Amino acid sequence: MSDEEDINKYIYMCLLHKKCCICGIKAELHHVSAIGMGRDRTEVFQIGIPVLPLCRKHHMEWHTLGNNTFNAKYHVESVKLTKEIAKKYNLTKKNMEAVK
């Protein structure tokens, strides 16, 4: 198993347990492709978009540094949002129904 596969599995488990993949404290769901700010999160189909579990501090740092710099600094890569993760974060019913 490669280091990249290990990192992806680690990040996925952090998403499932709502833990920041950088520091381990309570995480929120960070959408790498911006949701909100004109893209209504209740209307956008989110399954399959890239996400990271980040605490508030690291979430704000991501927005300050940008995706490439943040990922290089912490050696992380986003993973695609799955139905299982969507359930954990109580995403809209529309997202849950759209996946068959």
Side-chain angles (χ1 to χ4, degrees), residues 66-82:
N67 188 57
N68 293 339
T69 303
F70 184 89
N71 290 356
K73 178 179 179 178
Y74 291 110
H75 308 285
V76 296
E77 287 292 330
S78 58
V79 298
K80 292 189 182 208
L81 184 70
T82 64

Side-chain angles (χ1 to χ4, degrees), residues 21-35:
C21 63
I22 307 302
C23 67
I25 66 172
K26 184 179 178 192
E28 52 194 41
L29 188 61
H30 167 66
H31 298 87
V32 174
S33 301
I35 302 278

Side-chain angles (χ1 to χ4, degrees), residues 46-62:
Q46 298 177 44
I47 305 299
I49 67 168
V51 294
L52 282 170
L54 299 174
C55 67
R56 173 56 33 192
K57 174 186 165 195
H58 288 110
H59 197 159
M60 296 310 296
E61 183 180 8
W62 186 96

